[in-house]
Amino acid sequence: MASNALSQEEENYVRMSLLLTGISPHAVRVLFDKEFPPASLSLTVNDKKVKQKLNDLRGKRIINKAQWDRLFPTSGITDSKTFDVTLMIALLRNLPNVPLVPPVNGYDDLPVTTETTPASDLARIKHYRNLLAHLHDGKVDGTLFTTAWKDISNVSKTYN
């Protein structure tokens, strides 16, 4: 008789997935809304210099069509609640009016634990989201899980 119980590694994967899809997006949105206040977001994205940068990001395929449509909806009212984590992180990283200092090793490497800036927190979320997306067996070993859980939980606590 086959067991329906998850292995510890499979449970780690599920828990990490829930943390990254359920809790960390809220943390990113809190930071995003701090840097881009919702009341003026439509004005911000329609600013000539910002829109030029957004067009550049779209040309480089950093922003896709669905994300572009959320930035410039037919209603004319841009709402960050419709943005996915990838779009918010891309805007926080790339728009010139955001005063975030990039992590020491850049956004594409996992920051050291002693680096606790908002930009390093974004890099942590991005790193673990990408790592999880590229796991093909649906398993996360205990060591990775413990480290990732601690890193992502600390980010979520900071911005909630």
Side-chain angles (χ1 to χ4, degrees):
M1 181 168 166
S3 171
N4 290 333
L6 295 175
S7 70
Q8 185 60 54
E9 291 82 11
E10 291 168 328
E11 184 178 326
N12 290 345
Y13 178 88
V14 171
R15 291 178 70 200
M16 197 164 142
S17 295
L18 290 172
L19 181 62
L20 287 165
T21 60
I23 296 171
S24 65
H26 176 72
V28 174
R29 184 162 283 103
V30 167
L31 178 60
F32 183 86
D33 287 345
K34 179 182 170 203
E35 298 299 329
F36 299 99
S40 59
L41 184 58
S42 290
L43 289 172
T44 300
V45 299
N46 283 292
D47 174 83
K48 186 177 179 178
K49 288 182 181 179
V50 171
K51 197 162 188 177
Q52 181 179 355
K53 181 63 176 178
L54 293 171
N55 267 313
D56 291 345
L57 295 173
R58 185 171 65 162
K60 294 176 184 175
R61 297 185 179 172
I62 293 170
I63 294 176
N64 64 37
K65 180 170 178 357
Q67 292 167 329
W68 184 263
D69 291 345
R70 286 182 176 83
L71 283 165
F72 302 100
T74 54
S75 70
I77 300 169
T78 306
D79 185 354
S80 70
K81 290 183 186 108
T82 67
F83 294 2
D84 60 27
V85 170
T86 304
L87 177 59
M88 289 186 289
I89 290 175
L91 297 176
L92 286 164
R93 283 177 59 173
N94 291 286
L95 291 185
N97 55 327
V98 179
L100 296 181
V101 177
V104 172
N105 294 323
Y107 282 102
D108 297 325
D109 290 325
L110 183 62
V112 295
T113 56
T114 56
E115 196 173 1
T116 58
T117 65
S120 62
D121 291 339
L122 293 175
R124 281 184 188 86
I125 290 171
K126 178 181 176 277
H127 173 84
Y128 289 117
R129 284 172 48 95
N130 286 345
L131 187 143
L132 204 66
H134 294 286
L135 291 176
H136 299 291
D137 61 356
K139 296 178 182 178
V140 173
D141 72 57
T143 303
L144 172 60
F145 175 77
T146 301
T147 302
W149 188 268
K150 182 180 171 192
D151 283 352
I152 300 164
S153 294
N154 286 338
V155 169
S156 296
K157 287 177 194 170
T158 301
Y159 301 102
N160 283 323

